[in-house]
Amino acid sequence: MPTWDSVENRRVPPSPALPVLALVGVTAIWGVTFVQVQDAIALYPLFAFLAVRFAISTVALAPFAWGELRVLPREGYLAGVGVGALLALAYGLQTAGLELTTVSSTGFITGLYVVFTPLIALAALSTPVPRAVWAGVALAVVGLLLLNGAPGGSAVGNLLVLGCAVTSAFQIVALERYAPRYDPRALAFLQMATALAAFAVIAIALGQLEVPRGTTVWAALLVTGLFAGALGFLVATWVQGRTTAARAALLFTLEAPFAAMAGVLLADEVLGWPGWAGCAVMMGGILLAQPSAADALRRLLPGRR
């Protein structure tokens, strides 16, 4: 049964299984690419990497967004650029932090935006937060604490990633406000284009912009540009037009355990039993606050039809 959003008095349909599963797939891509990005920025300048990455995303989305951009109102352009600026700031902080700290710590600390998002949404948009979501958030926080343990890397790197978590929370809340109003293809394109412009200016100013070289760098650019960027944010923008910021943030926390698994399997980092327990607790939070996810998983099990 549809519920009422108290911010704009609009009907919000219950979140179906497809958007939930799509967002889980996106978070898996985001988590795995931490290792690729860390390897790439060890060989290629940070802001040049981000500029080329978002250039690939922008070009990939252009054919799909062109028609919608032609009819997008001025307010839609302002919304897309504003959300894109928050996205650029979050990615800049996260990638700079990843250069200094570990893949696991980056994933764990980034996931703390699940704590900030419902509070910002409640304060800024008066978005109601159901009890089940708060319970899911509490489990997610416990899971993040179990995963985090004693963060490795540098304190400066961890602080930069924490700034990313706060900025990401604002970006998620902004998308909750604007995603239902405007076409997701146009919004996703404007976010990528804004980030491209910001990082290109910084890279040029620092003298970092140069032609990428090597398989490691190009593989990271293509995976992050096409799948984590263009496809990932198109899906995320589409999904956020169909759910609340708190629920979206809760699903986004899966990026942390996916990053942890990538760190263990691909970067030889040690997770330990507390870390694996944290992954399980976070999954419990997801299923508690998002019943459609639990229903979808039950249907995937043998004999559950």
Side-chain angles (χ1 to χ4, degrees):
M1 183 175 181
T3 58
W4 284 98
D5 185 329
S6 64
V7 179
E8 299 178 26
N9 204 33
R10 66 179 185 271
R11 284 193 176 273
V12 179
S15 300
L18 180 59
V20 171
L21 294 177
L23 202 53
V24 169
V26 166
T27 59
I29 294 172
W30 289 343
V32 171
T33 56
F34 278 126
V35 175
Q36 281 189 297
V37 172
Q38 188 179 58
D39 291 342
I41 59 178
L43 304 171
Y44 188 61
L46 169 64
F47 290 105
F49 177 87
L50 289 169
V52 176
R53 167 187 178 162
F54 282 101
I56 294 172
S57 298
T58 302
V59 171
L61 283 172
F64 305 98
W66 177 249
E68 299 303 327
L69 288 168
R70 294 175 64 184
V71 298
L72 189 70
R74 178 175 176 272
E75 293 77 9
Y77 276 95
L78 293 175
V81 170
V83 177
L86 291 171
L87 176 73
L89 179 58
Y91 264 89
L93 291 169
Q94 183 189 67
T95 310
L98 180 59
E99 194 173 27
L100 300 173
T101 190
T102 64
V103 169
S104 298
S105 291
T106 301
F108 304 153
I109 299 170
T110 298
L112 289 175
Y113 54 64
V114 71
V115 179
F116 305 125
T117 298
L119 301 178
I120 294 171
L122 180 63
L125 304 178
S126 300
T127 302
V129 181
R131 292 180 182 177
V133 173
W134 280 115
V137 167
L139 282 178
V141 172
V142 171
L144 284 168
L145 291 174
L146 286 169
L147 281 167
N148 198 34
S154 73
V156 174
N158 292 336
L159 186 61
L160 288 170
V161 180
L162 183 62
C164 162
V166 176
T167 307
S168 296
F170 278 100
Q171 194 251 357
I172 293 169
V173 172
L175 266 184
E176 180 187 18
R177 184 176 184 86
Y178 297 118
R181 299 181 183 181
Y182 307 111
D183 185 87
R185 291 163 293 183
L187 281 183
F189 174 85
L190 288 172
Q191 289 179 76
M192 300 298 105
T194 301
L196 162 61
F199 291 129
V201 168
I202 296 172
I204 292 171
L206 296 177
Q208 291 187 355
L209 204 56
E210 58 186 64
V211 177
R213 294 181 177 87
T215 304
T216 299
V217 174
W218 272 112
L221 285 170
L222 291 174
V223 171
T224 57
L226 292 175
F227 298 101
L231 178 62
F233 280 95
L234 181 60
V235 170
T237 304
W238 172 71
V239 170
Q240 283 202 249
R242 290 158 175 78
T243 189
T244 65
R247 285 193 173 94
L250 198 59
L251 288 170
F252 286 149
T253 58
L254 281 175
E255 184 179 2
F258 282 129
M261 287 186 283
V264 169
L265 297 176
L266 304 177
D268 298 323
E269 295 180 0
V270 177
L271 188 59
W273 286 109
W276 292 115
C279 293
V281 172
M282 287 177 66
M283 180 61 74
I286 297 294
L287 298 180
L288 176 63
Q290 188 55 272
S292 60
D295 293 340
L297 290 173
R298 280 196 294 270
R299 286 197 295 270
L300 293 175
L301 295 175
R304 301 279 185 176
R305 294 290 186 269

